[in-house]
Each structure stands twice: as C-alpha cells, then as structure tokens.
C-alpha cells in the first residue's frame, strides 16, 4: 500500500508553491522588493473504487505553510513545508495510516519578461525539494530533487489567464520506490481568474502530469473551480473544489486557504 502514501508526498514535491490558492497553476506575479506573503493552506481528498469485490477507500489530507519574499521587484524566494496524512481502507480494515512532515520545497520565481501594453508576462520558477519527509513512511522521496516551471500570464480586463509547463526530476532513496516510480515528471496546466469586483474572484484550472507509477498509461488529470475573497487588499480567503478526470487522480478534493501580504 506504500505507493498510495507516496502519491501525496510526490504531489507536494512536484507541484509549484501556489501563488493564488486554490489554483494549481502558478502566475507570474511577485511580491515586490521587500514584500512578504504567507499562505496557510489545507486540502482534503478522497477516492473510492471496487477491486475484486473489495471496496477500497483512500483519504489524503495536506496542510502547508508557504512563505514568499521579494528579493527584487521581479524575483521572489519561495519556501513551502507540508504536513501529510493518508489512510487506506479495504472494506472495514485499515491497511495504511501514516502522517508527518513532507518534503520541503525552495523555489525562485523570476519574471523575466513583462509587457504592460499587452498585459503579457513570462516567468521561470526553478526549485528543489529537500528530504524532510520520512521516506520509510512514504512521506518523501528521501533525496534532494529539482525541477522548473515556465509560467505565462495574460491580462484581458476582468479576465486573467495563466499557463504552466513544468518538469521535475525525482530521485528515490528506497530501491523499491525507484523500481516502481517514474523519475521524470512532466506537467502542463491552464487556469483563469475572473474578477467580479475588487474583493471577489472566480477561478478555474485544468491540468495533467506524468503518472508516478512506472509503465502506467493513465496520467493524472484534474479540473478545479473556486473563489478567492479579499477581506482587505492584503488578506484573502480561498475555497476550491478539485475533481479527477480519470482514475489516476482522486475523485474529489476540498481546498481551503488564507493568504496575508505585508512589507
């Protein structure tokens, strides 16, 4: 059952730190020189299937703190640390129940192109994950890994679009994980934000990434919808519902978060 626990950890390693939670797709925005953003997020996902007459239920919870700091007007340093919990149940028998800190991520977002006239910008976000999670419990991969995401943002009045293309190279400490898992994880996603007012935005997201299980032809794909409510200019509440588009992605996930910005 270990591969199910690893799925939660690998999502934290491979995915970018969220700039506009609950979106998975990142944007090119930065905090500006000396600016800070602190995000506290949580997600609850569930999946159910029947195999050989046995009902298998999987539940995954994730809570994370993500801190961004503007080292320059167009460059952010981003660090995130997740706490993971996973339970697997076959009929009434609990076959796996693990929790703990996952792998920490450290990333650098660099907006290297911006056209105010066209409302278009590009950013590059390289990063690494540090083996702070327990690989023996399936809460991390056990080694330093790295990757990068290319980000594009286009502003169209009240509508803003974002596109991501990413790559992450995983290295596994445990031989059994290395034998069963893909090392090269590619991802692509597209998101949109629509501003109903200065305080309320609707968001939508769709994406796909390489299957973690070696030899699998079903690559996890998702669709997401949510709302971002700005209590003040520098404090947001976030809510989202994420659904799997195939069996490789959990059926449903509830996403909640808050974000605070200050100088």
């Amino acid at each position: 059952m270990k591969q199910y626990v690893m799925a939660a950890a690998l999502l934290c390693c491979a995915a970018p730190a969220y700039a506009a939670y609950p979106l998975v797709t990142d944007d090119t925005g930065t905090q500006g020189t000396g600016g800070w953003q602190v995000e506290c997020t949580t997600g609850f996902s569930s999946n159910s299937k029947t195999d050989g007459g046995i009902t298998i239920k999987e539940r995954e919870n994730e809570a994370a703190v993500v801190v961004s700091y503007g080292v320059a007007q167009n460059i952010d340093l981003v660090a995130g640390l997740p706490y993971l919990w996973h339970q697997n149940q076959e009929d009434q028998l609990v076959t796996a129940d693990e929790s703990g800190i996952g792998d920490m991520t450290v990333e650098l977002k660099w907006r290297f192109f911006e056209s105010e006239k066209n409302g278009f910008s590009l950013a590059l976000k390289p990063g690494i994950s540090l083996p702070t999670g327990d690989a023996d419990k399936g809460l991390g991969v056990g080694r330093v890994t790295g990757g990068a995401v290319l980000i594009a943002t286009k502003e169209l009045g009240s509508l803003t679009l974002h596109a991501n293309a990413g790559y992450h190279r995983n290295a596994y400490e445990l031989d059994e994980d290395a034998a069963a898992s893909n090392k090269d994880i590619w991802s692509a996603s597209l998101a949109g934000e629509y501003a109903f007012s200065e305080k309320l935005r609707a968001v939508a997201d769709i994406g796909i990434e390489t299957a973690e299980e070696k030899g699998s032809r079903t690559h996890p794909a998702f669709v997401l919808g949510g709302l971002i409510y700005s209590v003040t200019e520098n404090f947001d509440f976030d809510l989202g519902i994420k659904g799997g588009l195939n069996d490789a992605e959990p059926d449903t996930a509830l996403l909640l978060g808050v974000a605070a910005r200050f100088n």
Side-chain angles (χ1 to χ4, degrees):
M1 294 299 108
K2 187 172 182 180
Q3 68 258 34
Y4 298 113
V5 185
M6 282 201 61
L10 290 177
L11 283 174
C12 294
C13 296
Y18 310 121
Y21 200 80
L23 292 177
V24 175
T25 302
D26 206 346
D27 60 55
T28 61
T30 55
Q31 304 306 313
T33 305
W36 292 86
Q37 177 176 269
V38 178
E39 293 177 284
C40 297
T41 66
T42 186
F44 307 89
S45 67
S46 62
N47 196 53
S48 181
K49 61 183 178 181
T50 301
D51 186 6
I54 299 175
T55 300
I56 301 172
K57 295 181 180 179
E58 302 165 38
R59 297 182 179 89
E60 295 178 2
N61 296 349
E62 173 190 331
V65 176
V66 181
V67 179
S68 303
Y69 175 70
V71 296
Q73 192 64 29
N74 62 335
I75 299 176
D76 277 359
L77 180 64
V78 185
L81 184 67
Y83 185 90
L84 308 171
W85 173 81
H86 174 273
Q87 184 184 82
N88 192 78
Q89 184 175 317
E90 297 183 6
D91 287 336
Q92 302 303 315
L93 178 65
V94 175
T95 57
D97 193 346
E98 298 286 358
S99 63
I101 292 173
D103 287 347
M104 181 179 182
T105 57
V106 180
E107 301 166 297
L108 189 73
K109 184 196 286 190
W110 170 41
R111 188 175 62 254
F112 62 87
F113 175 80
E114 183 174 18
S115 172
E116 294 184 3
K117 179 180 179 180
N118 297 323
F120 181 73
S121 55
L122 292 169
L124 184 65
K125 195 176 189 181
I128 61 172
S129 68
L130 305 175
T132 52
D134 190 332
D136 290 325
K137 291 184 177 181
L139 300 173
V141 297
R143 292 184 179 178
V144 175
T145 67
V149 180
L150 179 63
I151 308 167
T153 292
K154 173 68 175 179
E155 297 178 2
L156 300 164
S158 298
L159 177 65
T160 304
L161 300 176
H162 313 292
N164 287 185
Y167 169 77
H168 195 92
R169 174 75 175 181
N170 279 324
Y172 301 93
E173 181 182 34
L174 303 180
D175 292 339
E176 60 184 291
D177 294 338
S181 306
N182 285 317
K183 294 181 176 63
D184 301 308
I185 306 295
W186 296 88
S187 62
S189 61
L190 179 66
E193 303 179 44
Y194 185 82
F196 291 108
S197 66
E198 291 184 358
K199 289 186 173 293
L200 183 63
R201 286 176 285 163
V203 298
D205 205 343
I206 188 169
I208 189 170
E209 69 176 11
T210 304
E212 295 161 3
E213 184 180 353
K214 188 175 292 184
S216 175
R217 296 185 179 181
T218 304
H219 302 292
F222 71 88
V223 64
L224 181 155
L227 294 171
I228 300 174
Y229 179 73
S230 299
V231 180
T232 69
E233 182 180 357
N234 294 314
F235 190 84
D236 301 334
F237 279 112
D238 318 306
L239 168 67
I241 301 292
K242 184 181 178 186
L245 296 177
N246 54 32
D247 292 338
E249 184 79 19
D251 292 337
T252 58
L254 174 65
L255 309 173
L256 301 168
V258 295
R261 292 170 293 276
F262 53 91
N263 293 311

